[in-house]
């Protein structure tokens, strides 16, 4: 049963600390997306990759957020320094561009709380 | 600008009371429309993809339909376990082959026994 995995599932940290979230996409998928979900804003697209290359990261604050794909099995999202307004659930999703359309499959999310 | 609007924001039904959720979209060209289900504390779960007007897909008590401007998710004789947030998303032609989706805000469905 292929699934997207994310770690950690929950993270509580102090303001100013660095936070790193990890995602393992489904094997064979060539696109990876990072989303942030809050009650107020819903699902916001932060960044996405195709074949490990970043396509668009305009959805995230450049001064504190960074997203990378060091290899095909790992995507990371870093926040440095973290702020209370970053508190949200962060989802990773993966998909394939080989088909007619590109369904995305989501991981369980990382719930981030910045105190 | 490509946009997706879902209504209502929240819906309460009695078990067995059928209803529909609406997803209206404005895109330059539709490559695909997607429905997801999200349970509290979990990631969105893929349900359906619709490609063109007139298409329908079914899964258990759910049926998704598509017109040129909107999609409906019909829920027939719902059960309490159908309670969740239902998300609609579109992929526009302008997204090229990136797989980028535009999500609506979701409809939160509560089915009471």
């Amino acid at each position: 049963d292929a699934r997207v995995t994310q770690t950690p599932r929950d993270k509580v940290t102090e303001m100013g600390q660095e936070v790193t979230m990890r995602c393992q996409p489904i094997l064979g998928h060539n696109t990876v997306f990072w989303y942030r979900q809050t009650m107020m804003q819903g699902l916001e697209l932060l960044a996405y990759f195709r074949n490990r290359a970043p396509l668009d990261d305009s959805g995230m604050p450049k001064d504190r957020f960074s997203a990378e794909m060091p290899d095909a099995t790992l995507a990371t999202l870093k926040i440095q320094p973290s702020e209370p307004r970053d508190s949200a659930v962060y989802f990773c999703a993966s998909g394939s561009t080989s088909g007619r359309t590109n369904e995305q499959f989501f991981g369980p999310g990382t719930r981030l709380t910045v105190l | 600008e490509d946009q997706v609007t879902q209504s209502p924001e929240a819906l309460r039904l009695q078990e067995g009371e059928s209803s529909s959720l609406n997803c209206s979209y404005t895109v330059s060209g539709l490559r695909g429309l997607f429905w997801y289900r999200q349970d509290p504390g979990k990631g969105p779960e893929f349900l359906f993809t619709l490609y063109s007007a007139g298409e329908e897909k079914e899964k258990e008590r759910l049926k998704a339909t598509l017109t040129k401007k909107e999609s409906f998710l019909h829920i027939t004789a719902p059960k309490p376990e159908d309670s969740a947030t239902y998300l609609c998303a579109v992929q526009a032609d302008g997204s090229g082959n990136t797989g980028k989706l535009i999500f609506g805000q979701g409809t939160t469905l509560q089915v009471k026994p």
Side-chain angles (χ1 to χ4, degrees):
Chain A
D1 187 20
R3 296 186 183 187
V4 175
T5 59
Q6 290 186 247
T7 58
R9 293 295 312 277
D10 283 280
K11 177 72 175 179
V12 180
T13 190
E14 300 278 337
M15 182 174 64
Q17 296 298 305
E18 178 177 303
V19 175
T20 299
M21 290 169 270
R22 293 176 175 82
C23 167
Q24 182 172 11
I26 293 172
L27 187 65
H29 281 183
N30 67 332
T31 56
V32 172
F33 300 80
W34 283 105
Y35 292 90
R36 175 169 62 185
Q37 188 175 45
T38 61
M39 289 293 292
M40 293 299 294
Q41 299 295 330
L43 267 175
E44 298 175 89
L45 179 62
L46 298 176
Y48 57 102
F49 297 78
R50 184 177 65 199
N51 299 326
R52 295 179 53 203
L55 292 186
D56 188 350
D57 62 0
S58 60
M60 61 185 196
K62 296 291 189 303
D63 56 338
R64 299 185 300 108
F65 285 58
S66 63
E68 295 179 345
M69 275 202 78
D71 62 61
T73 65
L74 177 64
T76 62
L77 180 66
K78 290 186 181 181
I79 307 174
Q80 169 62 23
S82 58
E83 297 181 1
R85 59 179 167 156
D86 301 328
S87 297
V89 181
Y90 290 80
F91 289 106
C92 172
S94 72
S96 172
T97 56
S98 62
R100 178 179 178 181
T101 52
N102 312 123
E103 293 85 358
Q104 294 180 19
F105 297 88
F106 284 76
T110 294
R111 180 177 298 277
L112 174 64
T113 303
V114 183
L115 303 175
Chain B
E1 182 184 349
D2 299 332
Q3 199 167 11
V4 178
T5 303
Q6 292 187 246
S7 61
E9 287 187 15
L11 182 62
R12 288 185 177 182
L13 299 173
Q14 287 296 129
E15 184 172 3
E17 179 186 3
S18 301
S19 188
S20 297
L21 282 55
N22 178 263
C23 171
S24 298
Y25 62 91
T26 306
V27 293
S28 52
L30 183 68
R31 193 177 175 103
L33 184 141
F34 306 81
W35 282 98
Y36 287 83
R37 168 189 172 131
Q38 186 174 21
D39 292 295
K42 296 189 176 182
E45 175 190 350
F46 171 73
L47 292 173
F48 303 110
T49 306
L50 300 168
Y51 298 101
S52 56
E55 188 174 0
E56 299 182 353
K57 293 270 180 78
E58 287 190 63
K59 182 178 181 179
E60 297 181 355
R61 294 175 293 281
L62 302 177
K63 183 168 81 171
T65 61
L66 181 64
T67 72
K68 288 187 177 180
K69 293 185 177 181
E70 57 192 349
S71 176
F72 292 94
L73 185 65
H74 307 278
I75 304 176
T76 302
K79 298 182 178 182
E81 52 261 42
D82 295 321
S83 298
T85 295
Y86 291 86
L87 296 166
C88 172
V90 300
Q91 185 180 7
D93 281 341
S95 68
N97 199 23
T98 65
K100 179 181 176 181
L101 299 182
I102 303 163
F103 278 88
Q105 292 290 91
T107 293
T108 299
L109 172 66
Q110 184 180 25
V111 182
K112 293 189 173 183

